[in-house]
Amino acid sequence: MSEQSIIFFDIDGTLLDHNKEIPASTKKAIFDLRERGHEVAIATGRAPFMFEDIRKELEIDTYVSYNGQYVVLRGEVIYTNPLNPDALKTLTERAIEKENPIVYMDADDMHSNVPEEHEYITTSIKTLQVGKFPSFDPAYYQNREIYQCLLFCLEGAEQQYEADFKDFDFIRWHPMSVDVLPAGGSKANGISKITDKLGFPKERQYAFGDGLNDVEMLKQIYNSVAMGNGEEEAKAAARHVTKNVDEDGILHGLQMVGLLD
């Protein structure tokens, strides 16, 4: 394995361009990496059912989903980290008081605690272009493992939740929504479950990302690359910064770090 590396790619704004499409240069680069013997993986905040089509298109069966809470290595689940159920119940009660909808997400599906289409939910989830919206089931979080929630509130409103719910981390991914994760859970932690199992030294670990939920990953991974279209915090955390995703940013970044010619 001395020359083999593992490369983790975020999805939105990294593998997918602003039209939610995989640039041709990116797809070719992924297959070129694999032909050279490298391990290619995904590290995303999305649920597994939200990027099955991407995995099939790119022939990837190793991934970190839910920002590190559900980890799959070559088709096998090797790590899960669900939300604390008691704390989630209390969070739900608080969110109802504040009229902030919640979407509960497990490995297979997602359901909201509001019966009608809510502006915040429809507006934010539409940006993912996954062709799926949560149905109504306010009790979905009960008696099952929930790996991530979407809490719908405007920017700044999450600060009180952060102060009151130490079991959770709140990471904004949209002006109308934040991810709710187990405290300390991150893509970086999920990635370590894979790299430790496969035995990759840090010098042979690479990661590409663009968002706030990529910051820990970009700090931890030795060869980290932020997209040119990324958040400033992501760029500051990364060792390298490549071009924008729609300017062949993945290919350029892989050439920059010497994985492709």
Side-chain angles (χ1 to χ4, degrees), residues 24 35 44 47 49 62-63 73 80 112 134 140 169 177 189 237 245 251 259:
E35 286 180 6
T44 181
F49 55 82
T62 295
Y63 58 89
L73 173 60
T80 61
S112 72
Y140 193 71
D169 287 337
S177 184
N189 182 57
V245 60
L251 175 60
L259 287 174

Side-chain angles (χ1 to χ4, degrees), residues 95-161:
I96 290 173
E97 291 175 4
K98 292 182 173 291
E99 298 184 349
N100 295 142
I102 294 181
V103 168
Y104 309 104
M105 311 172 80
D106 65 1
D108 303 309
D109 209 350
M110 59 179 174
H111 295 270
S112 72
N113 68 340
V114 292
E116 70 284 343
E117 286 193 3
H118 191 284
E119 177 191 358
Y120 292 3
I121 296 177
T122 56
T123 299
S124 56
I125 292 183
K126 273 183 181 178
T127 65
L128 298 175
Q129 297 185 21
V130 293
K132 180 180 179 66
F133 283 87
S135 56
F136 176 56
D137 186 349
Y140 193 71
Y141 70 95
Q142 299 174 7
N143 302 314
R144 72 177 69 238
E145 290 192 335
I146 300 297
Y147 299 107
Q148 182 170 295
C149 289
L150 305 180
L151 175 66
F152 296 87
C153 59
L154 296 179
E155 293 183 79
E158 70 271 25
Q159 294 175 4
Q160 191 59 54
Y161 287 103

Side-chain angles (χ1 to χ4, degrees), residues 10-30:
D10 171 53
I11 292 180
D12 298 286
T14 302
L15 284 178
L16 297 184
D17 62 20
H18 302 299
N19 295 318
K20 298 300 180 184
E21 297 176 349
I22 302 174
S25 63
T26 295
K27 185 172 182 178
K28 183 177 186 302
I30 297 297

Side-chain angles (χ1 to χ4, degrees), residues 55-249:
R55 300 199 305 272
K56 288 180 178 178
E57 182 175 355
L58 297 178
E59 298 178 13
I60 294 175
D61 60 1
T62 295
Y63 58 89
V64 173
S65 62
Y66 282 134
N67 289 308
Q69 316 324 307
Y70 192 87
V71 180
V72 172
L73 173 60
R74 296 169 182 165
E76 178 186 354
V77 179
I78 63 167
Y79 175 76
T80 61
N81 184 31
L83 295 166
N84 180 299
D86 294 331
L88 181 54
K89 180 177 184 295
T90 305
L91 174 69
T92 295
E93 293 167 352
R94 176 72 61 83
I96 290 173
E97 291 175 4
K98 292 182 173 291
E99 298 184 349
N100 295 142
I102 294 181
V103 168
Y104 309 104
M105 311 172 80
D106 65 1
D108 303 309
D109 209 350
M110 59 179 174
H111 295 270
S112 72
N113 68 340
V114 292
E116 70 284 343
E117 286 193 3
H118 191 284
E119 177 191 358
Y120 292 3
I121 296 177
T122 56
T123 299
S124 56
I125 292 183
K126 273 183 181 178
T127 65
L128 298 175
Q129 297 185 21
V130 293
K132 180 180 179 66
F133 283 87
S135 56
F136 176 56
D137 186 349
Y140 193 71
Y141 70 95
Q142 299 174 7
N143 302 314
R144 72 177 69 238
E145 290 192 335
I146 300 297
Y147 299 107
Q148 182 170 295
C149 289
L150 305 180
L151 175 66
F152 296 87
C153 59
L154 296 179
E155 293 183 79
E158 70 271 25
Q159 294 175 4
Q160 191 59 54
Y161 287 103
E162 291 171 345
D164 294 342
F165 292 91
K166 299 304 183 183
D167 284 304
F168 302 140
D169 287 337
F170 298 83
I171 301 176
R172 185 161 291 278
W173 66 276
H174 187 275
M176 295 178 179
S177 184
V178 294
D179 291 327
V180 182
L181 308 172
S186 68
K187 291 184 182 183
N189 182 57
I191 284 173
S192 69
K193 305 302 179 183
I194 293 173
T195 55
D196 289 350
K197 197 170 184 67
L198 294 181
F200 281 97
K202 67 176 185 178
E203 295 82 6
R204 290 291 173 183
Q205 299 175 25
Y206 297 77
F208 285 70
D210 72 302
L212 297 178
N213 63 339
D214 295 317
V215 170
E216 291 301 318
M217 173 181 77
L218 296 173
K219 285 181 179 178
Q220 174 177 290
I221 298 301
Y222 187 79
N223 302 293
S224 58
V225 183
M227 305 302 292
N229 50 276
E231 300 282 353
E232 290 305 314
E233 293 92 332
K235 294 178 183 178
R239 183 177 289 260
H240 307 280
V241 178
T242 185
K243 297 179 180 180
N244 287 7
V245 60
D246 51 7
E247 296 174 340
D248 300 328

Side-chain angles (χ1 to χ4, degrees), residues 21-56:
E21 297 176 349
I22 302 174
S25 63
T26 295
K27 185 172 182 178
K28 183 177 186 302
I30 297 297
F31 282 91
D32 286 347
L33 286 173
R34 193 175 293 110
E35 286 180 6
R36 295 183 182 211
H38 299 303
E39 188 89 27
V40 181
I42 286 173
T44 181
R46 290 190 181 207
F49 55 82
M50 286 185 171
F51 64 103
E52 186 175 0
D53 56 336
I54 295 171
R55 300 199 305 272
K56 288 180 178 178

